[in-house]
Amino acid sequence: MSAFLRTRRARLQPGDVGLAGHGRSRRVPGLRREELAQLAGISVAYYTRLEQGNARNVSAEVLDAISGALRLSDAEHAHLLHLARPKERRRRPAPRRRRVRPALLDLLTAMEGVPSYVWGRRTDVLAWNRTASALFGDWAARAPQERNWARIAFLDPAARRLFADWEAKASDVVGNLRLDAGLHADDPLLAALIGELSMKSADFRGLWAAHDVRRKAYGSVRIRHPLAGELTLRYEDFTLPGDQEQSVSTYHAEPGSASEEALRLLASWGADASRDRSADGR
């Protein structure tokens, strides 16, 4: 929690929150601890202990006040609450294989023409339809542990060519991993993934150090597909009510657009498009 609070405080300037800058140079980036404490209505000493990780049993009211002072997003506020929650000492459970319900697999098949996939903790891709494979590449050709957006984004050079705004995609992936790390601090596979990416990717190290958290439920993305050309697609993410660790992502184009026609062609090519893309990537 210490690093998260420091990075959130560093991104705010006095003028952002209605405080005077006092007209002199500042030795620290962003707000000072005393300024943040003033905004949150708590003592400087208490906030200092909290930021240093020495405060216990922090009330929800205090966390809400700090969150408001730091202007945290909903995702960041939830992350702060998880970080502040007392951690129980317990044995790490053996990682269990996550299964996608058969009915959900049937739904993916029924949605052919709309690129759709199921993903879960650690940004693992768990299931997909043929159109998603045609759009993003042949996940079936990857080893199960490689069907992971974080590994693809940072370790597969083809991802930088596929996403027109690769930096945005990379930031979203890291933001999701940050949320998972707050929720599942005892997950050994997540720790191993973060360690691997930190060793192999300077871009990942930089984004991870920023402590940004996010989980975007919708938006748009530009894809530069080697066969279909450039597509602008809208996406929607749906967390499953019966399993908060699994989400469905769907992609669609604006009706009547060139992207819609390109997506229709990809859907008709199906597995052939993903095989051709894999060959192009090699």
Side-chain angles (χ1 to χ4, degrees):
M1 182 166 65
S2 300
F4 179 68
L5 287 174
R6 286 196 299 270
T7 57
R8 300 310 88 181
R9 181 166 56 86
R11 72 181 180 180
L12 288 176
Q13 297 300 319
D16 297 334
V17 293
L19 296 177
H22 304 297
R24 62 174 183 267
S25 61
R26 303 171 66 84
R27 292 180 296 175
V28 296
L31 295 179
R32 300 187 179 98
R33 284 174 177 166
E34 56 266 28
E35 291 169 334
L36 194 283
Q38 175 187 341
L39 289 168
I42 59 178
S43 72
V44 177
Y46 184 78
Y47 178 76
T48 299
R49 291 199 305 272
L50 180 63
E51 194 172 282
Q52 292 175 341
N54 297 323
R56 298 181 179 180
N57 300 320
V58 187
S59 71
E61 290 77 14
V62 168
L63 293 173
D64 287 346
I66 292 173
S67 180
L70 290 172
R71 299 190 172 185
L72 300 185
S73 67
D74 290 344
E76 289 171 329
H77 177 61
H79 185 61
L80 178 62
L81 295 180
H82 286 297
L83 292 177
R85 183 181 302 165
K87 304 298 187 294
E88 297 179 1
R89 291 184 175 274
R90 58 183 181 181
R91 293 179 59 188
R92 287 181 173 178
R96 61 184 179 88
R97 185 177 179 182
R98 287 161 297 166
R99 298 185 181 276
V100 178
R101 290 185 291 107
L104 194 54
L105 296 176
D106 291 341
L107 176 62
L108 292 180
T109 301
M111 293 172 66
E112 284 299 356
V114 178
S116 307
Y117 59 85
V118 180
W119 59 281
R121 192 192 300 187
R122 301 179 293 271
T123 72
D124 286 340
V125 178
L126 307 177
W128 57 90
N129 61 16
R130 289 192 315 146
T131 314
S133 190
L135 180 65
F136 294 113
D138 191 0
W139 279 313
R142 297 180 183 270
Q145 67 272 17
E146 299 300 322
R147 297 168 191 163
N148 174 276
W149 269 124
R151 284 197 176 94
I152 293 170
F154 290 98
L155 303 182
D156 186 349
R160 293 177 184 262
R161 299 190 295 269
L162 182 66
F163 291 96
D165 190 351
W166 176 85
E167 290 81 5
K169 176 64 176 178
S171 295
D172 289 345
V173 166
V174 173
N176 277 303
L177 284 182
R178 267 288 172 199
L179 280 175
D180 281 349
L183 288 167
H184 309 289
D186 59 348
D187 183 342
L189 295 181
L190 178 59
L193 174 64
I194 293 167
E196 176 189 358
L197 294 173
S198 297
M199 288 189 297
K200 294 180 178 180
S201 172
D203 290 317
F204 178 84
R205 289 196 297 273
L207 289 169
W208 189 253
H211 286 264
D212 289 336
V213 295
R214 61 170 59 88
R215 181 151 289 172
K216 295 175 68 175
Y218 59 90
S220 64
V221 62
R222 284 191 300 128
I223 301 292
R224 291 173 177 160
H225 195 277
L227 298 179
E230 184 165 311
L231 300 86
T232 299
L233 302 175
R234 302 164 180 170
Y235 66 85
E236 301 282 344
D237 284 347
F238 306 93
T239 300
L240 299 180
D243 187 346
Q244 294 295 306
E245 288 195 19
Q246 290 189 10
S247 298
V248 177
S249 291
T250 65
Y251 294 77
H252 65 282
E254 181 179 353
S257 67
S259 294
E260 184 184 44
E261 179 60 25
L263 196 56
R264 187 179 296 115
L265 287 173
L266 276 177
S268 67
W269 292 335
D272 291 336
S274 61
R275 280 196 294 269
D276 289 346
R277 185 193 179 284
S278 298
D280 182 80
R282 292 194 297 270

